Amino acid sequence: MSSPSNPAGSGFVPIQLVVNGQVRSGACEPRKLLVDFLREDLGLSGTHVGCEHGICGACTILIDGFAGRACTHLAVQAEGCELQTVEGLAEGGRLHPLQEAFRKHHGLQCGFCTPGMLMTALDFLRTHPSPSEEEVREAMSAVICRCTGYQGIIAAVMEVASDMAEAAAVR
Ligand code: FES
Ligand code: FES
């Protein structure tokens, strides 16, 4: 028998996971990509789809705290996982410092790569709180940007890293 959470009646698998701090659930075919589940089933279209082959990085999100390509995971593999998408960055109407820095340094033009860039930078700064510019360049090369030439992106990430280091120093 079909139900709202199992619309086809068969072949759909129930999924429950936490996205941006909220428990979300749905049901989809086992072959459905995680990025499509986020966008189509959960309405979180901030995560973009580019190559669908793990190359461009546009679909990068945090999966259990680590950056991952949502196009190379199946939605069913995220069962029980904790995800963060670009929608989870701003808090209480305030942009995340990375978002502010990207805006300030013109780290985006068309914005297609930006969600993946932001989530990649978030994961990178968590593990590299005091990076060199070379390390930032290498990390951000994980996401392809066809517009900006990367200069503003690198400047934005470097600025946030520097702010984090200053904040840690006065603690
Ligand atoms: S859409 Fe996932 S890496 Fe390109
Ligand atoms: S801002 Fe257009 S692809 Fe990066």
Side-chain angles (χ1 to χ4, degrees), residues 108-113 145-148:
L108 66 153
Q109 287 180 28
C110 79
F112 191 84
C113 69
C145 177
R146 298 192 300 177
C147 303
T148 64

Side-chain angles (χ1 to χ4, degrees), residues 3 11 29 36 55 99 110 126 135 142 149 152 171:
S3 69
E29 290 182 306
D36 293 331
I55 305 297
Q99 292 172 308
C110 79
R126 182 179 60 80
E135 287 174 319
R171 245 183 238 151

Side-chain angles (χ1 to χ4, degrees), residues 97-98 101 121 124-126 128-133 135-136 153-169:
L98 274 167
F124 171 71
L125 290 176
R126 182 179 60 80
H128 299 76
S130 219
S132 65
E133 183 173 323
E135 287 174 319
V136 172
I153 291 167
I154 305 304
V157 177
M158 287 299 290
E159 180 175 278
V160 174
S162 157
D163 290 348
M164 283 168 51
E166 262 180 47

Side-chain angles (χ1 to χ4, degrees), residues 36-167:
D36 293 331
F37 181 73
L38 288 170
R39 291 173 56 85
E40 296 167 6
D41 295 63
L42 301 187
L44 296 170
S45 57
T47 302
H48 291 164
V49 193
C51 65
E52 292 191 299
H53 284 89
I55 305 297
C56 74
C59 66
T60 304
I61 61 173
L62 298 193
I63 304 171
D64 288 336
F66 294 93
R69 308 292 211 220
C71 76
T72 57
H73 288 74
L74 297 170
V76 292
Q77 292 177 294
E79 164 69 23
C81 290
E82 199 158 319
L83 309 185
Q84 188 177 4
T85 67
V86 71
E87 288 92 344
L89 282 181
E91 273 183 39
R94 286 174 63 106
L95 292 179
H96 186 279
L98 274 167
Q99 292 172 308
E100 285 288 4
F102 268 60
R103 183 164 72 172
K104 175 179 166 189
H105 291 281
H106 307 291
L108 66 153
Q109 287 180 28
C110 79
F112 191 84
C113 69
T114 311
M117 287 287 185
L118 290 167
M119 303 314 286
T120 298
L122 189 67
D123 179 46
F124 171 71
L125 290 176
R126 182 179 60 80
T127 52
H128 299 76
S130 219
S132 65
E133 183 173 323
E134 195 180 339
E135 287 174 319
V136 172
R137 286 186 180 279
E138 186 174 339
M140 300 316 293
S141 71
V143 184
I144 294 173
C145 177
R146 298 192 300 177
C147 303
T148 64
Y150 287 84
Q151 289 301 112
I153 291 167
I154 305 304
V157 177
M158 287 299 290
E159 180 175 278
V160 174
S162 157
D163 290 348
M164 283 168 51
E166 262 180 47

